[in-house]
Structures are given as C-alpha cells and as structure tokens.
Amino acid sequence: VAFLVAPKSSHSDATYGIMGSIPSHGDHPVFTAILAALDVSTRRDYAAVRDDFAAKTEATQRTETYYDNSALDRYCQLVFRVTDNRGWPLEDYAIELIDASESGGSLPSGFFADKHQNEKNPEQFCYYLNYNRLGAVQGGKFGFKVQSAPNTPLVNYGEAIYLTPADVDSILQPNQTTLVDVILNRRLNKSIFQITDNFAEQKIDGKPGADWIEGV
C-alpha cells in the first residue's frame, strides 16, 4: 500500500506534530500527502502516489538524521493473532522472538522498539522492531516461539516454533507490517471427564493423567 515517512514529523507537539504543527499558510509534508491521497480517483493516480511516497520515504531515511545527527533507522511491525485449532482466540500466551539458535540471546542490541497487546482483541499482539538492527542478527535467521498456558492442567496447547528458511528479509521488510496467524493445537487430558457408578461424594483433584486427546 502507499506509505510515507514524513520528514521532521511526530505524533504530537506544536513543532513537529502531524496535526498541531500544520501552518495556516504554506506547505507541510503531512498535509500535502493527505491532499495527494484525497485526490486519487483512478488506479493510475494511486500508483503515482504510491511511487511518489516510496521515493520520498527512501530519500528521507537516507538523508535525514535524528536530533543527535545519527542516521535514521528503518522500522517494521510484526503483528500476531493467536487462536486454537477450533478457531477460538487465546488470550493467555507468550511470544518469544528468537535467532538461529532458537533462543533470543543473540538478537542484536537495540532491535526492539515497542510492543502492545490489543485491548479489544487480546489474541492480537504487535511488536515494533528496528529493521536496521535486525539485519545484523547472527546467522541471518529470525523467528518466534508461541506458547499458551490455560488456567487448568487438564488442557494444554502445542508450542509453535517458526524460524525463517533464509534470512530476516523472508518475513520482514522495512516500513512494512507483517501479519502472522498462529494456530495452537489444543489437547485435552482424559481425566477432564469421567463416568462413574459411585454416587458417593468424591474429590476432584484436577490432576492430569498420562493420556491426552489431540486436537479437540
């Protein structure tokens, strides 16, 4: 999709904010981009805006600097949606970003910028990552592990592990969001349900037995 990194812009404040800093007269990179997008009426118009935004983004990230005059880094988003094999969303899970060793110990310093869990849909989780730093990951590979821990030992989920077949670029690109659907296979312990002809009061301890039923 058309995407623009505007120069010298931020979410808020009167100097660089994308709304608060727009002057009443004259040009502003964000306002100009909005007008260009609103003026699109054909596929050809869209392609022209997309290419123009891409060229301006490349120029900004190549020539602009941070406040300390260091070069701009490029970023990307990795958005997960975690469900089970029956399509039910999972809210209690852990996501670990990993390198070629299938651990995160060798991921380059500074690659992690931000994260948040979706408040309305907790099965969705977003990582904001420094793409330039990730390019230096040892072995060139990058991936993730996903685990879920339900509130009963009688139900569990298989672990999902993914490692890029080639390098970071096979799933991540600068200035891009990658959407990942993770489906964990649910298992039920056979002790979750029992039929008995003993009508006396019996204690239910909730301890799992040795046998599990897969994919239910």
Side-chain angles (χ1 to χ4, degrees), residues 61-210:
Q61 294 181 321
R62 177 169 39 84
T63 61
E64 294 283 334
T65 62
Y66 290 118
Y67 64 91
D68 60 357
N69 293 322
S70 60
L72 288 182
D73 286 333
R74 296 170 297 170
Y75 288 81
C76 58
Q77 287 190 135
L78 187 57
V79 178
F80 292 90
R81 180 173 62 180
V82 185
T83 61
D84 68 14
N85 52 290
R86 296 174 64 87
W88 291 101
L90 300 179
E91 300 181 5
D92 188 5
Y93 55 85
I95 302 173
E96 179 185 1
L97 302 180
I98 61 175
D99 51 45
S101 67
E102 295 193 5
S103 72
S106 297
L107 289 173
S109 175
F111 85 94
F112 178 80
D114 198 8
K115 63 178 175 61
H116 71 270
Q117 189 173 27
N118 191 298
E119 293 183 0
K120 299 292 186 181
N121 301 96
E123 75 276 12
Q124 299 179 18
F125 199 95
C126 176
Y127 282 103
Y128 189 56
L129 307 173
N130 187 313
Y131 175 85
N132 286 41
R133 299 291 180 88
L134 274 176
V137 62
Q138 292 185 15
K141 293 182 180 293
F142 174 75
F144 53 84
K145 292 181 183 178
V146 183
Q147 297 173 313
S148 181
N151 58 5
T152 170
L154 299 176
V155 179
N156 69 22
Y157 297 90
E159 180 183 67
I161 302 177
Y162 178 81
L163 196 61
T164 55
D167 53 29
V168 173
D169 285 351
S170 61
I171 62 169
L172 299 178
Q173 292 291 321
N175 309 316
Q176 177 177 288
T177 295
T178 300
L179 305 177
V180 180
D181 263 324
V182 177
I183 301 174
L184 300 183
N185 195 46
R186 187 174 70 159
R187 303 196 309 162
L188 299 183
N189 193 270
K190 286 189 175 182
S191 298
I192 200 169
F193 183 79
Q194 297 180 22
I195 297 177
T196 178
D197 58 3
N198 183 354
F199 293 102
E201 181 180 353
Q202 300 178 58
K203 183 179 180 181
I204 301 175
D205 58 22
K207 293 180 179 179

Side-chain angles (χ1 to χ4, degrees), residues 9-22:
S9 300
S10 64
H11 284 131
S12 61
D13 87 17
T15 304
Y16 298 113
I18 58 176
M19 295 183 65
S21 67
I22 295 179

